[in-house]
Amino acid sequence: MKKNVDICIVNRTFWPDNKSLAEGLLCLGERFVSEGYSTAIVFEKSNKFNSEITSESRGNGIQFMGVKKKGSSSSSIIMRGIYAVLFSISVMFNLLKLRPKLIYISTDPPVLVPFIVFIISKITGSKYVYHFQDIHPEITNNVTHINFLLYKMMFFMDKVAQRNALMIITITEEMKKYLCSRVLNSPNIHLVTNPTNFEFNQVPVDQKKKGFVFCGNAGRLQLMDLLIEAVQKYYQDGGNLDFTFIGGGIYSSDLKELDKKFPKFHYLGFLASDKCNEITASFEWALLPIDESVLDFAFPSKTSSYLACGNKILAISKPNSAISRWVSANKVGLNVEPNVTSIINCFFKIENKLTKLALNSDFQEKNTKLSPIYFADTLYNLIENHL
């Protein structure tokens, strides 16, 4: 079947709402165009997309197939599911129209879009690259137990999409190992670190605030109940460091109560990524709590941002977890066991400057590898030979 475009990138969340991963995908599209490949991007289009893409002269030569954005992070789970299905249907029609030689897909949204791409590939003869940002339905089932039959059906669909991909891309060695065990004859799996947004002012190390910042989802997987209890007892025991939490989640109301109760605790709710990074960069330490049971299926998305912001990282996870090993191997901070007493003791050690750290100070090299352009170039080099 005749192909209308060389490559189509499919990712629901896109620029300018997301200037980390989506910026990297926009750079990828621009790189393909610059090399002479016809390129399309299917995405959910926000109201400000047209004005900003024009004013910043971005995406020249890319065929943007924007689908009107529906819902938000505050939408119910049922409505978010419906919106994901509607987006998936639009992806199907756009791919049948475009008939690309190669399709790039990720887990945004998961399961259904990759499975639709698999079906389209059989109809049109297209090849596809599957980028696992996280692994579904496993991680969803870890957070909210899915109906058994629905889980089995979704698991089967995603295994089929994985098995038939041209190649697989994911983030960590642990995720790679799990994907290999999930599909024994899996295509080649490549590791690529996610990019981050650098549109903020860096703060010199000696001018950073003595305290902690947390940015991300305030949920069960982030051990938020444990962290909230530890912060509260730390202040009750005379602790004097500042804490700032950014983001939403099921523990938002508890964070608001801490904000009211303790003058050195601040909860800011949702913020744009550039504002979030600006605040994060102003702190010496960043908190990275995680339930280690999910690390086969995902990796905390804020690690790249914390590194770019020049934070020391206090990971809260079990010893020898993937996060603990990552912090130690990269010399970017400390790991503390996930119990209230250990966390409080660590807070006081940091406050009283009793911690001994052998930090990797080569942030310039790290930042280069976290840039959206580096991310785009890495993907381009993996994909281009197959066009």
Side-chain angles (χ1 to χ4, degrees):
M1 185 177 288
K2 183 181 177 181
K3 305 298 188 292
N4 290 339
V5 297
D6 292 316
I7 182 165
C8 179
I9 297 167
V10 179
N11 203 74
R12 180 168 57 171
T13 306
F14 198 60
W15 193 95
D17 293 344
N18 180 307
K19 290 194 175 179
S20 297
L21 179 63
E23 171 69 22
L25 294 178
L26 178 57
C27 290
L28 177 63
E30 292 171 332
R31 174 68 190 275
F32 275 111
V33 169
S34 72
E35 299 292 342
Y37 293 102
S38 54
T39 306
I41 301 179
V42 179
F43 64 103
E44 219 172 44
K45 183 167 70 172
S46 67
N47 293 332
K48 57 186 179 181
F49 174 79
N50 287 339
S51 60
E52 293 205 20
I53 203 80
T54 302
S55 65
E56 297 195 22
S57 298
R58 298 294 304 277
N60 295 323
I62 297 174
Q63 188 175 350
F64 290 111
M65 312 291 285
V67 179
K68 186 176 180 181
K69 186 174 182 178
K70 298 178 178 67
S72 66
S73 57
S74 61
S75 300
S76 68
I77 293 177
I78 293 175
M79 291 308 300
R80 277 185 279 177
I82 292 172
Y83 296 145
V85 170
L86 292 174
F87 178 76
S88 302
I89 293 170
S90 70
V91 168
M92 179 176 66
F93 283 112
N94 277 312
L95 290 179
L96 286 171
K97 177 182 176 181
L98 292 166
R99 297 194 300 276
K101 290 181 183 177
L102 192 144
I103 305 165
Y104 165 96
I105 51 168
S106 72
T107 44
D108 183 11
V111 183
L112 188 54
V113 164
F115 190 72
I116 285 173
V117 168
F118 156 71
I119 294 172
I120 297 295
S121 74
K122 294 302 181 184
I123 296 171
T124 65
S126 302
K127 297 176 288 187
Y128 64 93
V129 173
Y130 192 175
H131 193 161
F132 283 89
Q133 295 290 331
D134 39 29
I135 302 172
H136 294 266
E138 290 90 326
I139 192 168
T140 308
N141 195 51
N142 191 290
V143 179
T144 306
H145 289 297
I146 305 171
N147 174 276
F148 178 75
L149 292 178
L150 178 61
Y151 176 82
K152 284 294 185 182
M153 181 180 72
M154 294 172 69
F155 186 66
F156 169 78
M157 290 166 61
D158 210 53
K159 283 178 66 176
V160 168
Q162 178 186 344
R163 184 179 293 113
N164 287 275
L166 174 68
M167 74 174 75
I168 303 296
I169 299 169
T170 194
I171 303 172
T172 67
E173 192 64 44
E174 286 71 25
M175 295 171 73
K176 178 180 178 178
K177 288 178 182 177
Y178 177 77
L179 289 169
C180 287
S181 67
R182 185 195 206 213
V183 173
L184 297 181
N185 56 341
S186 176
N188 288 338
I189 301 176
H190 303 271
L191 300 183
V192 177
T193 301
N194 278 346
T196 192
N197 175 16
F198 284 91
E199 294 183 4
F200 61 93
N201 294 321
Q202 290 282 357
V203 178
V205 173
D206 59 354
Q207 295 178 26
K208 290 180 179 289
K209 296 177 184 176
K210 305 302 180 185
F212 298 90
V213 64
F214 170 87
C215 188
N217 183 57
R220 288 186 291 270
L221 296 182
Q222 292 74 29
L223 308 177
M224 201 53 52
D225 53 342
L226 187 71
L227 187 53
I228 287 171
E229 183 181 355
V231 170
Q232 181 164 300
K233 288 186 177 180
Y234 165 75
Y235 281 134
Q236 289 171 343
D237 291 346
N240 203 40
L241 290 175
D242 287 308
F243 284 79
T244 293
F245 278 56
I246 304 167
I250 61 172
Y251 286 94
S252 295
S253 57
D254 299 273
L255 294 172
K256 289 177 183 176
E257 288 302 312
L258 281 184
D259 185 286
K260 293 176 184 177
K261 192 171 182 179
F262 300 105
K264 286 187 171 290
F265 186 93
H266 307 282
Y267 176 57
L268 305 181
F270 284 107
L271 294 176
S273 62
D274 51 352
K275 183 64 176 176
C276 176
N277 281 351
E278 184 179 324
I279 294 170
T280 300
S282 69
F283 278 85
E284 181 180 9
W285 286 87
L287 294 167
L288 189 62
I290 190 71
D291 182 340
E292 57 96 24
S293 68
V294 302
L295 292 174
D296 282 345
F297 316 133
F299 195 73
S301 59
K302 295 309 296 182
T303 53
S304 295
S305 296
Y306 288 163
L307 289 180
C309 290
N311 302 115
K312 299 173 186 174
I313 295 176
L314 178 60
I316 302 173
S317 67
K318 290 183 179 179
N320 207 38
S321 69
I323 286 292
S324 174
R325 295 196 302 272
W326 178 83
V327 168
S328 175
N330 289 282
K331 298 181 180 179
V332 292
L334 298 169
N335 184 75
V336 61
E337 291 194 38
N339 65 71
V340 171
T341 301
S342 296
I343 296 170
I344 293 172
N345 288 341
C346 189
F347 287 164
F348 276 112
K349 284 182 180 179
I350 289 172
E351 179 180 343
N352 296 316
K353 300 180 180 179
L354 299 177
T355 57
K356 294 182 179 180
L357 293 175
L359 290 173
N360 184 344
S361 59
D362 193 1
F363 285 111
Q364 185 174 356
E365 180 183 353
K366 281 191 171 65
N367 285 355
T368 300
K369 293 183 178 181
L370 294 173
S371 72
I373 291 177
Y374 184 89
F375 171 83
D377 288 345
T378 302
L379 291 185
Y380 177 83
N381 290 332
L382 287 173
I383 295 170
E384 192 267 342
N385 287 337
H386 300 281
L387 286 172

